Amino acid sequence: MYFEVLGPLVVRTDAGEPVTVPDTKVRTLLLDLLVHRDRPVSADRLIDDMWGERPPRNAIGTLQARVSQLRTTLERAEPGGRSLVTHGPGGYTLRIAEDVVDSNEFERLRAEGSLAAALELWRGPAYADVVDEEFTRATRDRLEELRLATIEELLDVRLNKGDEILGELAELVGRHPLRERLRAIQLRALYQAGRQDEALRAYAELRDALADELGADPGPELVALHQAILRHDPALTARSSTLPTPLNDLIGRDEAVAQARHLLANARLVTMVGPGGVGKTRLALETVRDDAAHWVELAAVGPDGVQDAVAEAVGLRDDCADLAERLAQALRTRTGLLVLDNCEHLVEPVAELVRRLLADVPDLRVLTTSREPLGLAGEHLLEVPPLEKDAAAELFTARASAAAGVVDDPATVAAICRRLDGIPLALELAATRVRSLGLKTLAAKLDDRFRLLAGGRGVPERQRTLRATIDWSWALLTEDERTMLRRLAVHADSFSLDAAEEVSGLPAGELVGRLVDRSLVVPAGDRYRLLESVAAYSLERLDEAGETSRFRTKHAAYYVALAERAEPHLRVPGQREWLSRLDQESANLRTALRHATPQLALRLVNAAAWYWYLRGRLGEGRRALATALDLSTTPTAARASAVVWQAGFSATAEDSRNLTEASEQALALFDDLDDPMGKARAQWFLTMTQWAYGERDLLAKRIDEAIATFTRLDDRWGLAAALSTRAELAITYADPAGMVHDGRRSLELFEQLGDDWGRLQANYALIVAAEISGDYPTATARLQEALQLAEELGMWTEVSFRTAGLGRIALLTGDFQRAVELHERARRIAIEHSNKSAEEYAEVGLGLIARRQGRLDDAERHLTKWLDWLRQVGGTAGIAFLLAQFGFIAEQRGGHANALELHQQGLDTATALGDERAIALALEGLAGAKAAAALDDRSANGAADLSHEAAVLLERAEALRRAVGVPLPPGERFDVDRIAAAISRARR
């Protein structure tokens, strides 16, 4: 018997037939007993619940008659139903199992994480027939609260997956206006829909309503969300799911899915363990399909690539000294699970990374699949066994019927499933042959094959059945199919039909299609892949055929050629499509490098380097370049180019002390090779990556030579790139005319070429020129254009820089709140994508805002952490700027002696740099320190002398700024005006 109380009362037999419960009082009696399931309810209590203050004249007798009616109804529905209602000393009891009431089923599904399934059980209000009765109130209120909480949890999951839920939210919020979690989801949904103003108004409405009706304030989580919306926190943005798309329904794993979800709800690390082919990956996918999960496929990853693979899956740059720490910082801002699939060959590096992430990210949960445990404390293991006989038969029948029509021979199906030990992969492979062999022949061949392979040597016991299954499937293939399958195994992750044909040397369209029909090749969108076990088996067959070396080299050659074909497309219209295509081939590029000849390795890294640079994968690029350079020591043009890329990639690393020497050695190689175009490209790239850190005059000489060569050889892209870099270098020379002249020429060329990266690059110097001249509308327009380009290209470091740039304009125009919001957003993006330069730029901006507002301790906190880092990377201009800021902070606190010392250090640094604007800033700082000292000096002569010195310093600074054509605009005169006023006070 099954009872439904989540809506009007419904009773069904075990067969699902409805049971009519006559009379309103009998239904009330049953509902009362259901509320107290498996607990006695006294007769007095039942009488009071059923009739209240107007009981019948013979209340006990009438109650007994209603109990009899209920027992009779239950008996008619199911034999033995009468015994469900018992009577004892404590009263009447309804003795039924927990799982035969839909409210208990709802709570079970909810606990397992099956939120949508749990909500589908509801047909109306709980205990709808007695909604006004007191005896159901506590139970009904608890269930309704759980229902609302479940709706909120499901909405949260859907929002994280990017679903549109605003319409549903509006109705729910209207009914429950004071539920804070519901309101939080609404705020996030509005923000993600680009309706920030509505989100802020919704928060204000809730805050007012809470104050008016409850005399309370919003909770801390809602307050934090409000602050995150104000600062445009990137963690609020919905991310599309990285989960693979299942190829078909999961059969026979309902209990395992429920168990896995229960474990994940109560444990932070769950590992699914079991033999290959047992279905761990598919079970994991079903377990997390309703979660906002980051899926990381590790089958094609080597021991040194685990952190890179995780970083790529969560959209994180890997250019940092401690990638695990950067991963932890990024994951702290994100919800959901981290799923690491196929870890058995990487147990140690995976275990170490998981240990660190779980320690550093308190809310993180991790699900892994592996053939052996990770061995970490707190790890919960879930054994994934072969399917039970009924589930195995159901799976085999479903797959065989799909391939060959109706399959109706339970005895033969059971025999096949038994001989295949219920291994899902084996069942899938066998089912594909039913159409060609029939069940009886299939069973006979299967029997022969297993007898042949029984007791194989050197193979773990758990793998013998799977090996036998794949051996048998292999034997049924034609010779061309076998050849194609073993040659496909050299690919990593997935591959295109073109790659399959080029590498294998066989007609891929027909053969791959036939292998898909046999479930040995799996479609993956418009690409294909091999199941892990099939790939491993096929690689053994490739080795047996003596083809491994040949086809590893062919694979490497194909992906080298692909990278070389892609490289020029990354500089013209269509670069976004080619970036996406190379994203798909990342695993194949890494595999190609591992098996490439020295010559192919150099060609590959030279072709892929620009892709790595655009995608911000500088760590991967440096490692790949080092590998290729170690393979070949012969001086060639290819080696020279690789050395240049390596030196340029190192320019953004945290240790750049040997940068100049490495760059000069690289450039010298091109002179020996008589390659003027190669040298010009090298000069440009090294200058572009070093302009903020390197020796200014040397860089200027390099870029001038490159521009001359590009002009002579009519290389328009090279000329555009070099002009944009010379415009950036003009920033360090305080040459606004040069910034504008070269920046505009570069932008014009890049627009003609259709290179969006180039437009982004050329815009930078024009933005700076507009800002320092006080043309804030132009600077803002160019920043917004650049920000849009960066977002469309997925260049998140540039997104951070441009967002912070907009924050600088907000600071200079006096909009401090917006300035803080933009700089905070820029800082968060920089941290998530692991770029220290962008992080420094954003946080220094926060320090400037704090100082402008008089929050000197906050300003010092934001700025202090970056001084050592700038010294480490050789950021002399940044050091001079920070020394000036520390001097101003000291002066504003009244410590003019300390301020004088700091500004003198800044002046020495700026003078060595030769940057007139930095020198002027230091002189202004010294003037401020002298003016502050004059105000403190009690002697008339002393104050007069100091104020005079301050005025002279201020005049020198202004003259210097005018001499280079960049007088301070109104937005940057905060300190100068403040110091001038101090000088006037001291003179008075």
Side-chain angles (χ1 to χ4, degrees):
M1 204 80 71
Y2 191 80
F3 303 89
E4 298 177 17
V5 297
L6 301 179
L9 175 66
V10 174
V11 182
R12 301 183 188 278
T13 65
D14 289 344
E17 295 297 323
V19 177
T20 301
V21 181
D23 190 270
T24 301
K25 292 302 181 185
V26 176
R27 294 171 67 84
T28 302
L29 170 64
L30 176 55
L31 288 165
D32 203 335
L33 295 174
L34 280 166
V35 168
H36 301 92
R37 182 194 63 80
D38 223 26
R39 290 176 290 142
V41 188
S42 68
D44 289 342
R45 174 68 185 272
L46 288 171
I47 291 168
D48 188 55
D49 290 344
M50 293 170 65
W51 289 284
E53 296 179 358
R54 301 182 64 183
R57 186 169 298 173
N58 181 10
I60 292 294
T62 305
L63 173 62
Q64 290 172 345
R66 297 292 183 267
V67 171
S68 179
Q69 284 180 272
L70 176 59
R71 285 171 170 166
T72 300
T73 299
L74 298 177
E75 183 67 21
R76 288 173 179 169
E78 289 274 9
R82 173 179 292 274
S83 64
L84 296 180
V85 181
T86 64
H87 184 264
Y92 293 93
T93 304
L94 180 65
R95 299 198 178 278
I96 55 175
E98 185 173 304
D99 59 359
V100 301
V101 184
D102 64 350
S103 59
N104 294 327
E105 177 74 354
F106 160 73
E107 293 189 55
R108 182 186 67 80
L109 289 170
R110 182 181 187 278
E112 292 173 358
S114 302
L115 306 177
L119 290 170
E120 286 175 1
L121 296 174
W122 285 76
R123 299 167 292 106
Y127 292 89
D129 304 78
V130 288
V131 71
D132 295 323
E133 300 295 339
E134 186 63 27
F135 70 85
T136 63
R137 186 176 305 281
T139 300
R140 187 177 65 252
D141 290 349
R142 184 179 65 83
L143 288 170
E144 291 290 349
E145 175 59 31
L146 283 176
R147 180 189 191 185
L148 273 173
T150 306
I151 291 172
E152 290 168 340
E153 290 177 25
L154 183 57
L155 287 170
D156 204 14
V157 169
R158 291 174 57 199
L159 181 60
N160 285 330
K161 294 167 69 174
D163 290 354
E164 171 54 55
I165 60 172
L166 278 173
E168 299 166 59
L169 278 169
E171 180 183 356
L172 284 166
V173 169
R175 295 204 307 265
H176 309 283
L178 299 183
R179 288 186 69 87
E180 293 201 21
R181 184 175 185 186
L182 192 60
R183 284 292 197 143
I185 297 169
Q186 182 190 38
L187 296 184
R188 289 173 53 215
L190 286 168
Y191 179 85
Q192 290 181 11
R195 294 154 65 177
Q196 182 194 5
D197 290 341
E198 290 182 49
L200 295 175
R201 284 199 300 272
Y203 175 83
E205 290 170 5
L206 174 61
R207 182 188 58 207
D208 294 341
L210 287 170
D212 293 341
E213 298 187 33
L214 303 178
D217 293 323
E221 293 182 2
L222 206 57
V223 171
L225 175 58
H226 177 242
Q227 292 300 314
I229 291 172
L230 287 174
R231 66 175 180 267
H232 292 273
D233 191 329
L236 297 175
T237 304
R239 288 168 291 276
S240 59
S241 174
T242 61
L243 299 181
T245 303
L247 300 174
N248 44 45
D249 294 334
L250 182 64
I251 294 175
R253 295 296 194 193
D254 292 349
E255 184 177 344
V257 170
Q259 186 180 2
R261 289 177 177 171
H262 177 75
L263 281 174
L264 276 175
N266 295 281
R268 299 187 61 208
L269 172 60
V270 176
T271 298
M272 294 180 175
V273 293
V278 80
K280 300 182 294 295
T281 297
R282 184 64 182 85
L283 178 59
L285 183 58
E286 186 69 17
T287 299
V288 303
R289 64 181 171 84
D290 290 331
D291 284 279
H294 299 290
W295 186 278
V296 186
E297 170 56 60
L298 295 175
V301 174
D304 297 330
V306 174
Q307 294 185 14
D308 290 336
V310 177
E312 184 174 345
V314 301
L316 176 67
R317 286 169 48 104
D318 65 344
D319 181 34
C320 60
D322 189 349
L323 182 53
E325 173 59 26
R326 288 301 185 190
L327 280 168
Q329 291 177 352
L331 288 169
R332 288 188 196 109
T333 70
R334 306 184 182 199
T335 58
L337 295 168
L338 182 63
V339 185
L340 305 177
D341 190 34
N342 292 303
C343 302
E344 50 269 3
H345 61 304
L346 303 166
V347 170
E348 291 185 8
V350 169
E352 176 58 20
L353 178 60
V354 169
R355 181 191 64 77
R356 287 195 61 179
L357 292 178
L358 289 175
D360 293 343
V361 188
D363 295 329
L364 179 66
R365 292 177 297 152
V366 179
L367 172 64
T368 69
T369 72
S370 178
R371 296 185 189 181
E372 61 179 292
L374 300 184
L376 293 174
E379 181 182 26
H380 290 247
L381 299 182
L382 178 62
E383 293 280 352
V384 183
L387 293 172
E388 296 291 340
K389 60 180 181 179
D390 290 343
E394 181 184 359
L395 174 63
F396 180 87
T397 300
R399 302 296 186 255
S401 297
V406 176
V407 173
D408 188 15
D409 187 347
T412 304
V413 169
I416 291 171
C417 292
R418 184 171 63 253
R419 286 170 172 76
L420 292 177
D421 292 333
I423 300 291
L425 177 58
L427 298 173
E428 298 267 5
L429 294 170
T432 63
R433 306 308 298 163
V434 173
R435 181 173 59 180
S436 58
L437 297 177
L439 279 176
K440 298 291 186 184
T441 305
L442 172 62
K445 284 183 173 289
L446 185 63
D447 184 64
D448 289 341
R449 182 58 58 188
F450 280 127
R451 186 162 55 248
L452 176 65
L453 296 174
R457 303 298 183 191
V459 179
E461 182 67 31
R462 66 182 185 180
Q463 293 182 353
R464 292 179 184 175
T465 301
L466 181 59
R467 182 178 295 280
T469 301
I470 303 177
D471 267 334
W472 163 80
S473 183
W474 177 271
L476 297 177
L477 298 176
T478 66
E479 191 58 38
D480 281 351
E481 289 169 349
R482 294 177 191 172
T483 303
M484 173 60 84
L485 184 60
R486 69 175 181 251
R487 292 176 183 176
L488 288 178
V490 297
H491 294 279
D493 194 16
S494 65
F495 53 87
S496 65
L497 275 179
D498 178 72
E501 184 158 319
E502 186 72 22
V503 174
S504 69
L506 298 170
E510 178 185 356
L511 288 173
V512 171
R514 277 150 53 182
L515 291 170
V516 169
D517 290 341
R518 287 153 175 75
S519 296
L520 288 165
V521 174
V522 179
D526 59 350
R527 296 167 65 82
Y528 300 88
R529 64 182 178 87
L530 298 186
L531 297 171
E532 175 200 354
S533 299
V534 174
Y537 178 91
S538 300
L539 283 173
E540 291 183 4
R541 289 293 190 178
L542 189 72
D543 199 47
E544 289 172 6
E547 295 180 337
T548 299
S549 177
R550 176 188 169 198
F551 284 94
R552 286 291 191 194
T553 301
K554 286 195 70 174
H555 172 273
Y558 173 83
Y559 285 101
V560 168
L562 177 66
E564 289 176 336
R565 190 163 77 252
E567 199 270 348
H569 289 282
L570 299 180
R571 305 172 190 271
V572 295
Q575 63 187 179
R576 299 175 198 177
E577 291 75 10
W578 278 93
L579 283 170
S580 297
R581 183 167 179 181
L582 290 178
D583 288 342
Q584 289 182 313
E585 303 294 5
S586 289
N588 278 307
L589 293 174
R590 287 192 288 266
T591 299
L593 181 62
R594 286 203 298 271
H595 299 285
T597 63
Q599 182 183 7
L600 283 175
L602 284 175
R603 286 174 56 195
L604 176 59
V605 295
N606 280 319
W610 188 236
Y611 162 70
W612 288 325
Y613 183 83
L614 292 179
R615 276 292 184 244
R617 297 176 186 167
L618 305 186
E620 179 180 354
R622 282 195 298 272
R623 290 189 292 274
L625 287 158
T627 297
L629 288 168
D630 286 344
L631 291 174
S632 176
T633 58
T634 304
T636 62
R639 179 175 174 79
S641 294
V643 171
V644 167
W645 287 115
Q646 187 181 50
F649 276 30
S650 299
T652 54
E654 293 183 7
D655 182 5
S656 59
R657 285 172 294 183
N658 300 318
L659 189 58
T660 301
E661 181 181 352
S663 300
E664 289 303 305
Q665 290 174 354
L667 290 171
L669 295 172
F670 288 96
D671 291 327
D672 297 338
L673 295 164
D674 190 24
D675 181 4
M677 179 64 78
K679 182 176 181 179
R681 287 283 177 112
Q683 287 173 318
W684 157 72
F685 184 68
L686 291 170
T687 305
M688 181 187 71
T689 54
Q690 299 175 31
W691 72 269
Y693 306 111
E695 297 178 16
R696 190 172 64 173
D697 292 341
L698 175 62
L699 296 177
K701 179 175 179 294
R702 278 186 198 164
I703 204 64
D704 286 343
E705 290 178 1
I707 288 172
T709 303
F710 289 136
T711 302
R712 176 168 53 84
L713 299 178
D714 195 26
D715 182 347
R716 295 171 68 219
W717 191 94
L719 178 59
L723 286 169
S724 72
T725 299
R726 190 166 71 178
E728 290 178 330
L729 196 58
I731 297 172
T732 68
Y733 279 102
D735 177 11
M739 295 181 224
V740 173
H741 179 266
D742 287 341
R744 285 178 176 169
R745 287 182 62 204
S746 172
L747 183 59
E748 181 181 353
L749 285 169
F750 276 131
E751 286 178 339
Q752 292 171 2
L753 293 166
D755 186 338
D756 284 341
W757 171 85
R759 291 169 58 202
L760 181 65
Q761 187 77 3
N763 244 322
Y764 177 65
L766 297 175
I767 291 166
V768 174
E771 179 184 327
I772 64 177
S773 68
D775 185 359
Y776 301 139
T778 297
T780 299
R782 290 193 178 279
L783 279 165
Q784 289 171 339
E785 178 187 359
L787 179 60
Q788 181 178 349
L789 281 173
E791 289 175 339
E792 290 172 354
L793 288 170
M795 297 179 64
W796 295 105
T797 296
E798 296 299 327
V799 170
S800 175
F801 275 120
R802 303 307 168 238
T803 302
L806 286 169
R808 287 290 205 277
I809 301 301
L811 165 63
L812 295 173
T813 55
D815 189 348
F816 297 135
Q817 181 176 348
R818 177 166 170 75
V820 170
E821 293 169 7
L822 289 166
H823 278 93
E824 282 287 4
R825 178 171 183 254
R827 187 176 71 90
R828 184 67 62 87
I829 294 171
I831 290 172
E832 285 192 354
H833 294 276
S834 189
N835 188 280
K836 295 291 283 188
S837 295
E839 184 184 352
E840 179 257 347
Y841 186 67
E843 188 157 14
V844 166
L846 290 170
L848 298 180
I849 299 164
R851 190 172 73 78
R852 184 72 70 91
Q853 293 179 308
R855 296 183 287 110
L856 302 181
D857 289 346
D858 288 342
E860 189 172 50
R861 176 174 55 82
H862 284 303
L863 300 173
T864 299
K865 62 185 288 188
W866 295 106
L867 191 57
D868 288 342
W869 181 79
L870 285 167
R871 284 171 174 154
Q872 183 181 3
V873 301
T876 308
I879 294 169
F881 183 78
L882 285 189
L883 287 170
Q885 299 307 312
F886 291 133
F888 284 130
I889 290 170
E891 173 238 311
Q892 287 176 275
R893 284 174 171 161
H896 46 77
N898 186 28
L900 199 64
E901 181 181 349
L902 287 165
H903 284 303
Q904 185 60 54
Q905 292 178 26
L907 179 60
D908 294 343
T909 305
T911 301
L913 183 65
D915 185 338
E916 289 83 354
R917 294 177 69 227
I919 293 171
L921 181 62
L923 293 174
E924 289 157 357
L926 287 170
K930 296 277 188 181
L935 287 170
D936 282 352
D937 197 315
R938 296 186 178 277
S939 66
N941 291 336
D945 291 343
L946 288 169
S947 60
H948 175 71
E949 291 176 24
V952 170
L953 289 166
L954 214 54
E955 289 169 1
R956 283 179 58 195
E958 184 176 3
L960 191 56
R961 290 187 183 277
R962 291 190 179 280
V964 295
V966 283
L968 282 175
E972 295 189 50
R973 293 190 60 85
F974 169 74
D975 287 308
V976 170
D977 290 345
R978 184 175 56 78
I979 293 164
I983 293 171
S984 296
R985 289 198 305 274
R987 284 174 170 170
R988 289 197 299 270

